[in-house]
Amino acid sequence: MPDPATSARFGIGTFRTNVDSQEFAGLVVDERVLDLSVRFPGAAVRDLLDAWDTVLPVLEELADAPGAWQPLAPLDVRAPVAPRQVLQAGANYRTHVIDLAVQHSEITAERTVERVRAETAAMMDRRAAEGTPYFFIGLPTVIGGPFDDVVLPDYSRKHDWELELAAVIGRRAFRIDRDEALDHVAGYTIVNDLTTRDLVFRKDMPEIGTDWFRAKNAPGFLPTGPFLVPRRFVGDPGDLRVTLTLNGDTMQDESTKDMIFDVAALVAAASHTVPLLPGDLVLTGSPAGNGIHHGRLLRDGDVMEGTITELGTQRVRTVAP
Protein backbone atom coordinates (compact mmCIF):
# COMPACT_ATOMS: atom_id res chain seq x y z
CA MET A 1 0.00 0.00 0.00
CA PRO A 2 1.30 3.50 -0.82
CA ASP A 3 1.96 6.06 1.85
CA PRO A 4 -1.11 8.39 1.84
CA ALA A 5 1.21 11.32 2.50
CA THR A 6 3.14 10.76 -0.73
CA SER A 7 0.64 9.06 -3.08
CA ALA A 8 -0.44 10.81 -6.26
CA ARG A 9 -2.95 13.62 -5.94
CA PHE A 10 -6.30 12.57 -7.40
CA GLY A 11 -9.93 13.47 -7.79
CA ILE A 12 -13.06 11.43 -8.40
CA GLY A 13 -15.57 12.17 -11.11
CA THR A 14 -18.47 10.87 -13.12
CA PHE A 15 -17.99 10.48 -16.86
CA ARG A 16 -19.43 9.13 -20.06
CA THR A 17 -17.78 8.58 -23.42
CA ASN A 18 -20.69 10.21 -25.30
CA VAL A 19 -24.20 11.45 -24.63
CA ASP A 20 -25.72 8.01 -25.23
CA SER A 21 -23.26 5.99 -23.15
CA GLN A 22 -23.60 4.84 -19.55
CA GLU A 23 -22.02 6.98 -16.87
CA PHE A 24 -19.12 5.57 -14.88
CA ALA A 25 -17.16 6.61 -11.80
CA GLY A 26 -13.57 7.49 -12.60
CA LEU A 27 -10.34 8.25 -10.79
CA VAL A 28 -8.63 11.39 -12.13
CA VAL A 29 -4.86 11.86 -11.97
CA ASP A 30 -3.47 14.78 -13.96
CA GLU A 31 -5.22 14.53 -17.36
CA ARG A 32 -5.96 10.79 -17.13
CA VAL A 33 -9.01 8.86 -15.99
CA LEU A 34 -9.24 5.30 -14.69
CA ASP A 35 -12.64 3.64 -15.00
CA LEU A 36 -13.38 2.38 -11.48
CA SER A 37 -16.02 -0.11 -12.58
CA VAL A 38 -13.30 -2.75 -12.97
CA ARG A 39 -12.51 -2.54 -9.23
CA PHE A 40 -15.99 -1.52 -8.07
CA PRO A 41 -18.48 -3.06 -10.55
CA GLY A 42 -21.61 -0.98 -11.04
CA ALA A 43 -20.63 1.57 -8.38
CA ALA A 44 -21.48 5.24 -8.80
CA VAL A 45 -19.50 7.84 -6.88
CA ARG A 46 -22.16 7.94 -4.18
CA ASP A 47 -21.75 4.18 -3.69
CA LEU A 48 -18.03 4.76 -3.17
CA LEU A 49 -18.82 7.42 -0.59
CA ASP A 50 -21.15 5.04 1.23
CA ALA A 51 -18.02 2.97 2.00
CA TRP A 52 -15.53 5.84 1.97
CA ASP A 53 -13.30 4.66 4.82
CA THR A 54 -12.74 1.36 2.99
CA VAL A 55 -12.65 2.79 -0.53
CA LEU A 56 -10.20 5.65 0.04
CA PRO A 57 -7.11 3.44 0.63
CA VAL A 58 -7.95 1.51 -2.53
CA LEU A 59 -8.14 4.75 -4.54
CA GLU A 60 -4.75 5.80 -3.12
CA GLU A 61 -3.29 2.51 -4.34
CA LEU A 62 -4.88 2.79 -7.79
CA ALA A 63 -3.68 6.40 -8.24
CA ASP A 64 -0.06 5.18 -8.18
CA ALA A 65 -0.55 2.00 -10.19
CA PRO A 66 -0.52 1.20 -13.91
CA GLY A 67 -3.86 0.40 -15.46
CA ALA A 68 -6.26 1.07 -18.31
CA TRP A 69 -5.94 4.85 -18.02
CA GLN A 70 -7.58 6.94 -20.71
CA PRO A 71 -7.24 10.62 -21.60
CA LEU A 72 -9.60 13.00 -19.84
CA ALA A 73 -10.09 15.42 -22.74
CA PRO A 74 -12.48 13.33 -24.92
CA LEU A 75 -14.74 12.37 -22.00
CA ASP A 76 -18.02 14.06 -21.11
CA VAL A 77 -17.59 15.23 -17.51
CA ARG A 78 -20.78 15.03 -15.48
CA ALA A 79 -21.52 16.29 -11.95
CA PRO A 80 -19.22 14.21 -9.73
CA VAL A 81 -21.91 12.94 -7.35
CA ALA A 82 -25.68 12.63 -7.13
CA PRO A 83 -26.54 13.82 -3.60
CA ARG A 84 -29.56 12.73 -1.63
CA GLN A 85 -29.67 16.15 0.07
CA VAL A 86 -28.39 19.62 -0.78
CA LEU A 87 -27.95 21.96 2.20
CA GLN A 88 -27.35 25.57 1.18
CA ALA A 89 -25.86 28.12 3.56
CA GLY A 90 -27.03 31.68 3.04
CA ALA A 91 -25.49 35.00 4.04
CA ASN A 92 -22.19 33.40 5.07
CA TYR A 93 -19.62 35.81 3.62
CA ARG A 94 -19.13 39.00 5.58
CA THR A 95 -18.39 41.32 2.65
CA HIS A 96 -21.22 39.86 0.58
CA VAL A 97 -23.78 40.45 3.33
CA ILE A 98 -22.57 44.02 3.81
CA ASP A 99 -22.83 44.69 0.06
CA LEU A 100 -26.37 43.25 -0.03
CA ALA A 101 -27.40 45.38 2.93
CA VAL A 102 -26.31 48.50 1.06
CA GLN A 103 -28.07 47.29 -2.09
CA HIS A 104 -31.39 46.83 -0.26
CA SER A 105 -31.23 49.90 2.01
CA GLU A 106 -32.74 53.28 1.39
CA ILE A 107 -29.75 55.61 1.47
CA THR A 108 -30.39 59.09 2.84
CA ALA A 109 -28.39 62.00 4.17
CA GLU A 110 -28.66 60.51 7.66
CA ARG A 111 -28.51 56.82 6.73
CA THR A 112 -25.42 56.89 4.54
CA VAL A 113 -23.71 54.00 2.78
CA GLU A 114 -20.93 54.17 5.37
CA ARG A 115 -23.43 53.91 8.22
CA VAL A 116 -25.22 50.93 6.65
CA ARG A 117 -21.90 49.16 6.12
CA ALA A 118 -20.80 49.82 9.69
CA GLU A 119 -24.10 48.64 11.19
CA THR A 120 -24.11 45.49 9.06
CA ALA A 121 -20.50 44.73 9.91
CA ALA A 122 -21.32 44.98 13.61
CA MET A 123 -24.31 42.69 13.11
CA MET A 124 -22.10 40.14 11.32
CA ASP A 125 -19.61 40.23 14.19
CA ARG A 126 -22.41 39.51 16.67
CA ARG A 127 -23.75 36.74 14.45
CA ALA A 128 -20.35 35.07 14.18
CA ALA A 129 -19.91 35.20 17.97
CA GLU A 130 -23.43 34.30 19.07
CA GLY A 131 -25.52 33.14 16.12
CA THR A 132 -25.97 30.03 14.03
CA PRO A 133 -25.72 29.38 10.28
CA TYR A 134 -28.72 30.01 8.04
CA PHE A 135 -29.66 27.06 5.82
CA PHE A 136 -32.21 26.32 3.15
CA ILE A 137 -32.70 23.21 1.04
CA GLY A 138 -32.04 22.52 -2.63
CA LEU A 139 -33.55 19.66 -4.60
CA PRO A 140 -31.28 16.94 -6.04
CA THR A 141 -32.78 17.68 -9.49
CA VAL A 142 -31.09 21.09 -9.46
CA ILE A 143 -27.66 19.48 -10.01
CA GLY A 144 -26.06 20.18 -13.39
CA GLY A 145 -22.79 19.23 -15.00
CA PRO A 146 -19.70 21.45 -14.73
CA PHE A 147 -19.60 22.12 -18.48
CA ASP A 148 -23.30 21.97 -19.31
CA ASP A 149 -25.36 24.80 -20.74
CA VAL A 150 -27.85 26.26 -18.26
CA VAL A 151 -31.25 27.25 -19.60
CA LEU A 152 -32.42 30.56 -18.11
CA PRO A 153 -36.15 30.21 -17.36
CA ASP A 154 -38.28 32.73 -19.23
CA TYR A 155 -40.33 33.64 -16.15
CA SER A 156 -37.61 36.12 -15.12
CA ARG A 157 -34.74 38.18 -16.49
CA LYS A 158 -32.99 38.43 -13.13
CA HIS A 159 -30.86 35.30 -12.85
CA ASP A 160 -27.59 35.64 -10.93
CA TRP A 161 -24.41 33.68 -10.22
CA GLU A 162 -23.09 32.55 -6.82
CA LEU A 163 -19.89 30.52 -6.93
CA GLU A 164 -19.34 28.44 -3.80
CA LEU A 165 -17.22 25.82 -2.10
CA ALA A 166 -19.22 22.67 -1.34
CA ALA A 167 -18.29 20.04 1.22
CA VAL A 168 -19.13 16.46 0.20
CA ILE A 169 -20.13 14.18 3.07
CA GLY A 170 -18.27 10.86 3.30
CA ARG A 171 -19.51 9.51 6.61
CA ARG A 172 -22.99 9.75 8.13
CA ALA A 173 -23.19 12.72 10.48
CA PHE A 174 -25.98 13.35 12.96
CA ARG A 175 -25.74 15.81 15.84
CA ILE A 176 -21.99 15.95 15.76
CA ASP A 177 -19.78 18.61 17.29
CA ARG A 178 -17.75 21.11 15.33
CA ASP A 179 -14.41 19.58 16.36
CA GLU A 180 -15.33 16.25 14.71
CA ALA A 181 -17.20 17.64 11.71
CA LEU A 182 -14.38 17.53 9.16
CA ASP A 183 -13.88 13.83 9.88
CA HIS A 184 -17.25 13.35 8.17
CA VAL A 185 -16.23 15.27 5.03
CA ALA A 186 -14.87 13.16 2.17
CA GLY A 187 -13.78 16.11 0.11
CA TYR A 188 -14.79 19.26 -1.73
CA THR A 189 -16.13 20.38 -5.06
CA ILE A 190 -17.22 23.57 -6.84
CA VAL A 191 -20.84 24.65 -7.26
CA ASN A 192 -22.47 27.71 -8.81
CA ASP A 193 -25.66 28.27 -6.82
CA LEU A 194 -27.68 30.24 -9.38
CA THR A 195 -30.45 32.47 -8.08
CA THR A 196 -33.49 34.14 -9.64
CA ARG A 197 -33.32 37.39 -7.72
CA ASP A 198 -36.86 38.69 -8.19
CA LEU A 199 -38.31 35.45 -6.78
CA VAL A 200 -36.35 35.43 -3.52
CA PHE A 201 -38.89 37.54 -1.63
CA ARG A 202 -42.64 36.87 -1.88
CA LYS A 203 -44.35 40.10 -2.89
CA ASP A 204 -47.81 38.58 -2.43
CA MET A 205 -47.03 37.30 1.09
CA PRO A 206 -44.23 39.45 2.51
CA GLU A 207 -44.84 38.12 6.01
CA ILE A 208 -43.65 34.69 4.86
CA GLY A 209 -40.28 36.03 3.76
CA THR A 210 -37.98 34.21 1.33
CA ASP A 211 -39.00 31.68 -1.31
CA TRP A 212 -35.83 29.73 -2.05
CA PHE A 213 -37.79 26.92 -3.73
CA ARG A 214 -38.71 29.11 -6.71
CA ALA A 215 -35.57 31.23 -6.64
CA LYS A 216 -33.01 28.41 -6.78
CA ASN A 217 -34.44 25.12 -8.03
CA ALA A 218 -34.75 25.46 -11.79
CA PRO A 219 -33.21 22.49 -13.63
CA GLY A 220 -29.43 22.76 -13.83
CA PHE A 221 -29.26 25.75 -11.49
CA LEU A 222 -26.48 24.12 -9.48
CA PRO A 223 -23.58 23.35 -11.86
CA THR A 224 -21.39 21.00 -9.83
CA GLY A 225 -17.81 19.86 -10.30
CA PRO A 226 -15.73 19.10 -12.22
CA PHE A 227 -14.44 16.67 -9.58
CA LEU A 228 -14.66 15.67 -5.96
CA VAL A 229 -11.21 16.24 -4.49
CA PRO A 230 -10.44 14.33 -1.27
CA ARG A 231 -10.10 16.48 1.81
CA ARG A 232 -6.40 15.85 2.41
CA PHE A 233 -5.46 17.29 -1.00
CA VAL A 234 -7.31 20.55 -0.37
CA GLY A 235 -5.65 21.69 2.83
CA ASP A 236 -7.36 24.36 4.89
CA PRO A 237 -10.88 24.94 3.50
CA GLY A 238 -10.82 28.29 5.28
CA ASP A 239 -8.01 29.57 3.06
CA LEU A 240 -9.08 28.93 -0.55
CA ARG A 241 -9.56 31.41 -3.39
CA VAL A 242 -13.02 31.56 -4.98
CA THR A 243 -13.01 33.22 -8.41
CA LEU A 244 -15.72 33.62 -11.04
CA THR A 245 -15.34 35.31 -14.40
CA LEU A 246 -18.16 36.35 -16.72
CA ASN A 247 -17.13 36.44 -20.38
CA GLY A 248 -13.54 36.80 -19.20
CA ASP A 249 -14.17 39.62 -16.70
CA THR A 250 -13.58 38.86 -13.02
CA MET A 251 -16.74 39.26 -10.96
CA GLN A 252 -16.00 37.28 -7.78
CA ASP A 253 -12.54 36.97 -6.28
CA GLU A 254 -12.47 36.32 -2.56
CA SER A 255 -10.90 34.05 0.04
CA THR A 256 -12.94 31.60 2.09
CA LYS A 257 -11.36 33.42 5.05
CA ASP A 258 -14.28 35.84 4.65
CA MET A 259 -16.76 33.16 5.78
CA ILE A 260 -18.72 33.96 8.90
CA PHE A 261 -19.10 30.27 9.81
CA ASP A 262 -16.37 27.92 8.59
CA VAL A 263 -16.91 24.51 6.98
CA ALA A 264 -16.73 22.60 10.27
CA ALA A 265 -19.29 24.90 11.88
CA LEU A 266 -21.63 24.56 8.89
CA VAL A 267 -21.45 20.76 8.75
CA ALA A 268 -21.98 20.46 12.50
CA ALA A 269 -24.91 22.88 12.48
CA ALA A 270 -26.63 21.15 9.56
CA SER A 271 -26.20 17.78 11.25
CA HIS A 272 -28.09 18.95 14.31
CA THR A 273 -31.29 19.12 12.27
CA VAL A 274 -30.93 16.31 9.74
CA PRO A 275 -28.69 13.27 9.38
CA LEU A 276 -26.13 14.09 6.69
CA LEU A 277 -25.58 11.12 4.38
CA PRO A 278 -22.62 10.14 2.18
CA GLY A 279 -22.71 12.16 -1.03
CA ASP A 280 -24.74 15.01 0.44
CA LEU A 281 -23.57 18.52 -0.39
CA VAL A 282 -23.16 21.22 2.23
CA LEU A 283 -22.83 24.52 0.40
CA THR A 284 -20.87 27.19 2.24
CA GLY A 285 -22.27 30.43 0.82
CA SER A 286 -21.07 32.77 -1.90
CA PRO A 287 -18.62 35.67 -1.59
CA ALA A 288 -19.12 39.23 -2.73
CA GLY A 289 -19.35 40.03 -6.41
CA ASN A 290 -22.70 38.67 -7.51
CA GLY A 291 -24.47 40.13 -10.48
CA ILE A 292 -26.83 42.21 -8.39
CA HIS A 293 -23.78 43.95 -6.92
CA HIS A 294 -22.34 44.68 -10.37
CA GLY A 295 -25.69 45.67 -11.86
CA ARG A 296 -25.22 42.97 -14.50
CA LEU A 297 -27.34 39.82 -14.41
CA LEU A 298 -27.13 36.77 -16.65
CA ARG A 299 -28.06 36.92 -20.34
CA ASP A 300 -28.30 34.50 -23.21
CA GLY A 301 -24.82 33.41 -24.30
CA ASP A 302 -22.92 34.42 -21.16
CA VAL A 303 -20.03 32.18 -20.17
CA MET A 304 -19.17 31.73 -16.49
CA GLU A 305 -15.88 30.18 -15.43
CA GLY A 306 -15.60 29.25 -11.77
CA THR A 307 -12.37 28.26 -10.07
CA ILE A 308 -11.53 27.36 -6.47
CA THR A 309 -8.01 26.59 -5.26
CA GLU A 310 -7.11 22.89 -5.73
CA LEU A 311 -10.56 22.04 -7.17
CA GLY A 312 -10.20 22.87 -10.84
CA THR A 313 -12.47 24.96 -13.06
CA GLN A 314 -16.02 24.65 -14.32
CA ARG A 315 -17.24 26.44 -17.44
CA VAL A 316 -20.95 27.02 -17.95
CA ARG A 317 -22.80 28.84 -20.73
CA THR A 318 -26.26 30.30 -20.25
CA VAL A 319 -28.86 29.98 -22.99
CA ALA A 320 -32.33 31.38 -23.52
CA PRO A 321 -35.20 28.82 -23.43
Side-chain angles (χ1 to χ4, degrees):
M1 293 291 290
D3 180 355
T6 60
S7 63
R9 186 183 186 278
F10 61 85
I12 307 165
T14 299
F15 307 92
R16 59 188 181 188
T17 55
N18 58 63
V19 295
D20 298 318
S21 64
Q22 186 173 356
E23 293 182 350
F24 65 91
L27 187 69
V28 185
V29 176
D30 298 324
E31 296 297 313
R32 303 175 302 149
V33 176
L34 180 68
D35 186 343
L36 291 171
S37 62
V38 175
R39 191 65 176 263
F40 303 99
V45 170
R46 197 174 76 190
D47 299 318
L48 303 180
L49 292 167
D50 280 336
W52 186 242
D53 291 339
T54 301
V55 166
L56 182 58
V58 178
L59 299 180
E60 292 167 348
E61 179 182 357
L62 292 173
D64 286 312
W69 294 88
Q70 56 187 302
L72 169 63
L75 296 176
D76 181 18
V77 183
R78 313 307 304 146
V81 65
R84 298 175 180 90
Q85 303 177 109
V86 179
L87 284 298
Q88 297 158 293
N92 196 45
Y93 275 78
R94 197 170 187 274
T95 303
H96 182 203
V97 174
I98 292 171
D99 286 347
L100 287 176
V102 172
Q103 187 81 27
H104 291 289
S105 295
E106 183 178 350
I107 304 302
T108 65
E110 292 185 356
R111 188 164 176 75
T112 62
V113 169
E114 291 73 19
R115 180 173 178 179
V116 171
R117 295 187 73 87
E119 289 176 351
T120 308
M123 179 180 68
M124 290 299 97
D125 291 341
R126 290 194 300 273
R127 183 169 170 239
E130 305 168 3
T132 57
Y134 172 55
F135 284 105
F136 44 93
I137 302 170
L139 299 175
T141 52
V142 78
I143 301 291
F147 305 109
D148 290 352
D149 290 347
V150 175
V151 177
L152 300 176
D154 60 5
Y155 47 69
S156 173
R157 294 182 181 272
K158 295 185 177 180
H159 307 293
D160 202 348
W161 58 83
E162 294 196 63
L163 197 71
E164 305 190 19
L165 173 70
V168 184
I169 300 301
R171 184 187 298 165
R172 187 180 186 275
F174 188 47
R175 295 178 182 166
I176 59 172
D177 294 330
R178 181 185 176 281
D179 60 2
E180 60 180 319
L182 293 186
D183 292 336
H184 294 260
V185 173
Y188 301 96
T189 193
I190 302 172
V191 297
N192 190 350
D193 190 18
L194 302 180
T195 304
T196 303
R197 291 293 177 193
D198 56 345
L199 295 184
V200 172
F201 297 102
R202 291 293 299 241
K203 297 176 183 178
D204 57 337
M205 295 180 290
E207 65 277 8
I208 288 181
T210 51
D211 187 349
W212 296 117
F213 169 74
R214 293 196 308 163
K216 284 187 173 287
N217 281 290
F221 257 40
L222 193 69
T224 303
F227 311 122
L228 186 170
V229 179
R231 179 164 53 95
R232 70 180 183 86
F233 296 127
V234 178
D236 180 4
D239 190 15
L240 305 176
R241 202 78 193 174
V242 179
T243 305
L244 180 136
T245 64
L246 180 73
N247 304 326
D249 296 326
T250 300
M251 297 296 180
Q252 291 181 285
D253 187 12
E254 183 61 84
S255 170
T256 54
K257 290 179 180 179
D258 199 44
M259 284 185 189
I260 297 165
F261 299 101
D262 63 14
V263 173
L266 292 171
V267 170
S271 80
H272 276 257
T273 300
V274 299
L276 299 178
L277 306 173
D280 287 352
L281 300 182
V282 178
L283 278 55
T284 59
S286 188
N290 304 116
I292 195 170
H293 169 76
H294 291 287
R296 167 58 161 94
L297 296 171
L298 290 169
R299 304 169 187 160
D300 181 33
D302 282 340
V303 176
M304 297 175 287
E305 288 197 358
T307 301
I308 299 179
T309 311
E310 306 293 351
L311 301 182
T313 299
Q314 60 171 232
R315 186 179 188 274
V316 174
R317 183 171 65 107
T318 58
V319 297

